[in-house]
Amino acid sequence: YDITNELYGWEEVAAAVRRRVPQDGVVVAGHYTMCAQLDWNLRGSGPAVDCRTRETTDFDLWRPAAGPVFERPVLFVSDERFPDRPPGVGGGPAPVPVEQVTIERGGVPVRRFLLTAYPPGAVSTKAPR
């Protein structure tokens, strides 16, 4: 794994998120670096980003929460490094991702993002800490 791959593909991911996030939906990721990249790349385009990590991170301290999440549709963004479902989602199988975004460098796939839609009420208001 090349850590430089973390810097590539965010424009493509943001474009896919803009296409897929429902009206009044919130974008959720499970790692602070993904939350920060999404927040930066979606700036000014509408959807709020909420970070669902098990520990308090810098993202939680620097950015305001997206507001109540439980009653809103959620578009969860994950990848191979951080594939967890959002904390607070009940048991059972995860929904099928609505879109996959594959990032390439030099013609070689280096990262795959999955966008998974959760209906209102599926993701709890507060991530367990």
Side-chain angles (χ1 to χ4, degrees), residues 4 70 74 86 89-90 103 105:
T4 308
F70 185 71
V74 166
V89 172
I103 306 304
R105 286 179 63 199

Side-chain angles (χ1 to χ4, degrees), residues 31-108:
H31 192 273
Y32 69 93
T33 58
M34 290 182 71
C35 299
Q37 286 283 11
L38 287 165
D39 190 58
W40 174 254
N41 285 280
L42 290 169
R43 67 192 179 283
S45 64
V49 176
D50 192 60
C51 206
R52 292 299 168 116
T53 57
R54 297 193 188 283
E55 303 84 27
T56 300
T57 67
D58 280 350
F59 188 86
D60 301 309
L61 303 174
W62 286 93
R63 297 296 296 158
V69 172
F70 185 71
E71 295 154 357
R72 297 166 71 181
V74 166
L75 185 65
F76 185 66
V77 180
S78 60
D79 72 351
E80 293 94 345
R81 283 189 70 202
F82 308 111
D84 295 332
R85 296 177 353 165
V89 172
V96 174
V98 294
E99 188 165 341
Q100 175 180 305
V101 180
T102 302
I103 306 304
E104 295 183 355
R105 286 179 63 199
V108 176

Side-chain angles (χ1 to χ4, degrees), residues 6-36:
E6 295 276 335
L7 303 174
Y8 289 85
W10 289 105
E11 299 84 14
E12 293 93 334
V13 174
V17 166
R18 285 186 197 96
R19 284 192 305 272
R20 296 293 185 162
V21 69
Q23 183 74 17
D24 194 38
V26 61
V27 179
V28 173
H31 192 273
Y32 69 93
T33 58
M34 290 182 71
C35 299

